Every structure is written in structure tokens, then in C-alpha cells.
């Protein structure tokens, strides 16, 4: 707590990893995979932070940032030689997410509203594709996801509860 109305939370995580993959194939008319070996290693600092402001017991406004990471990988079932179109290794995926929102209780606690606006940018997004014989994981260039969300909960009388959700 920074003050009685402002709160700051956060966390960090550091990851270092190494992966080794070896594919030894005994040739046969049925076996269509290619031999190969690969080593990938990397490190990443991930984290999140949220700044929240609660001016009273009925409202909370916040801004949040998060850095995400998905490890790189090794495709072990290549049905074609290691090429840019069918790579043996896959780069790590990272994301940066931003969100601002409000959580409100109104009308003597008869109405609750959760509202948020967000954007998330991915770099080297990992996607699955089918090459005609097997599924591979590949990297897409970039992806941006943006949207708004709203959840309303209205209790005009007991025991009636009406809910409405919107996501774009």
C-alpha cells in the first residue's frame, strides 16, 4: 500500500533454460522423418505490475502491465529437411499486455460493473501448422490483440439477479 487509497503490486521472474533434441532415424519405407539435432538456450525476465486506486469502498480503478514468455522449442517430427519453411527449432514467444479498468458497486450495491480496455502485443507468436504429414510449431511474425470488456450484474430485488457481459 502506498497510501490508504493507492496500492502498487508487482512481481518478477527470471528464466534461463537449455533444450537439446536429437532425432536418429533408421530409414525404412514407412519412416518419413528426417534425422537431426538442435540445441536452444535462452533467458528472459518476465513480470507484472498493477497500480490501483480505491477512492472509497465501492470503486477500484487500476492500470496493469504484464510481460509474458513462452519457451522456444524443437520440432522432433520433421517430414522435410530443416528449412525456413519447416524449421527444427522455434523461437521463444513474448507478449506485452496493458490493461486499464474499473470495478464499481453502485445503487446501494444493487449494480456491479467491471469495465476494462486492453491491448496485447505478441512477438514471434508460436502457431501450429500441418505440413501434409505432421503438425509443426512455427513462429508467426507479430500479433496485436485489442479489446474492451464489460460485465454488469444487477440485483433489483431478492432473489432476482440479471447479468450482462460484453466483449469486443
Amino acid at each position: 500500500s502506498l497510501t490508504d487509497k493507492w496500492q502498487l503490486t508487482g512481481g518478477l521472474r527470471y528464466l534461463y533454460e537449455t533444450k537439446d533434441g536429437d532425432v536418429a532415424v533408421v530409414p525404412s519405407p514407412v519412416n518419413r522423418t528426417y534425422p537431426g539435432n538442435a540445441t536452444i538456450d535462452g533467458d528472459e525476465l518476465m513480470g507484472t505490475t498493477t497500480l490501483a486506486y480505491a477512492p472509497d469502498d465501492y470503486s477500484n480503478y487500476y492500470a496493469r502491465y504484464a510481460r509474458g514468455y513462452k519457451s522456444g522449442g524443437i520440432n522432433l517430427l520433421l517430414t522435410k529437411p530443416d528449412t525456413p519453411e519447416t524449421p527444427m527449432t522455434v523461437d521463444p514467444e513474448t507478449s506485452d499486455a496493458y490493461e486499464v479498468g474499473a470495478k464499481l458497486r453502485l445503487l446501494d450495491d444493487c449494480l456491479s460493473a467491471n469495465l476494462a480496455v486492453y491491448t496485447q502485443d505478441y512477438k514471434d507468436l508460436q502457431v501450429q501448422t500441418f505440413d501434409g504429414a505432421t503438425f509443426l510449431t512455427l513462429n508467426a511474425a507479430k500479433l496485436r490483440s485489442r479489446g474492451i470488456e464489460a460485465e454488469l450484474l444487477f440485483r433489483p430485488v431478492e432473489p432476482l439477479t440479471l447479468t450482462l457481459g460484453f466483449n469486443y
Side-chain angles (χ1 to χ4, degrees):
S1 295
L2 301 173
T3 69
D4 61 337
K5 296 182 181 192
W6 288 93
Q7 186 174 27
L8 180 65
T9 57
L12 291 173
R13 179 189 304 178
Y14 176 75
L15 172 73
Y16 174 79
E17 64 183 351
T18 298
K19 295 181 182 180
D20 294 308
D22 291 303
V23 179
V25 177
V26 177
S28 75
V30 191
N31 192 342
R32 294 186 175 157
T33 60
Y34 282 79
N37 58 54
T39 299
I40 57 173
D41 61 354
D43 63 337
E44 187 71 23
L45 181 64
M46 300 157 279
T48 185
T49 186
T50 302
L51 179 64
Y53 173 65
D56 52 48
D57 290 340
Y58 302 100
S59 56
N60 184 343
Y61 305 92
Y62 65 92
R64 178 178 181 266
Y65 167 76
R67 171 76 171 186
Y69 175 81
K70 186 188 292 184
S71 299
I74 301 172
N75 286 309
L76 296 176
L77 296 175
L78 290 182
T79 58
K80 298 175 183 171
D82 184 14
T83 67
E85 293 78 30
T86 58
M88 188 165 190
T89 61
V90 181
D91 292 334
E93 171 186 302
T94 57
S95 67
D96 292 295
Y98 303 87
E99 180 178 339
V100 293
K103 297 180 182 295
L104 309 168
R105 293 183 357 233
L106 309 164
L107 303 175
D108 290 330
D109 236 5
C110 290
L111 177 65
S112 296
N114 296 328
L115 312 166
V117 176
Y118 64 88
T119 184
Q120 188 164 3
D121 293 313
Y122 293 89
K123 181 181 173 212
D124 290 323
L125 179 71
Q126 294 176 10
V127 296
Q128 291 280 315
T129 186
F130 186 67
D131 72 355
T134 190
F135 286 94
L136 294 173
T137 302
L138 302 174
N139 290 109
K142 294 180 182 179
L143 174 76
R144 173 171 284 158
S145 174
R146 292 182 175 166
I148 58 174
E149 294 179 350
E151 293 177 350
L152 301 175
L153 188 129
F154 183 53
R155 294 179 212 91
V157 294
E158 287 288 334
L160 179 63
T161 301
L162 304 171
T163 60
L164 173 69
F166 175 79
N167 189 334
Y168 177 78

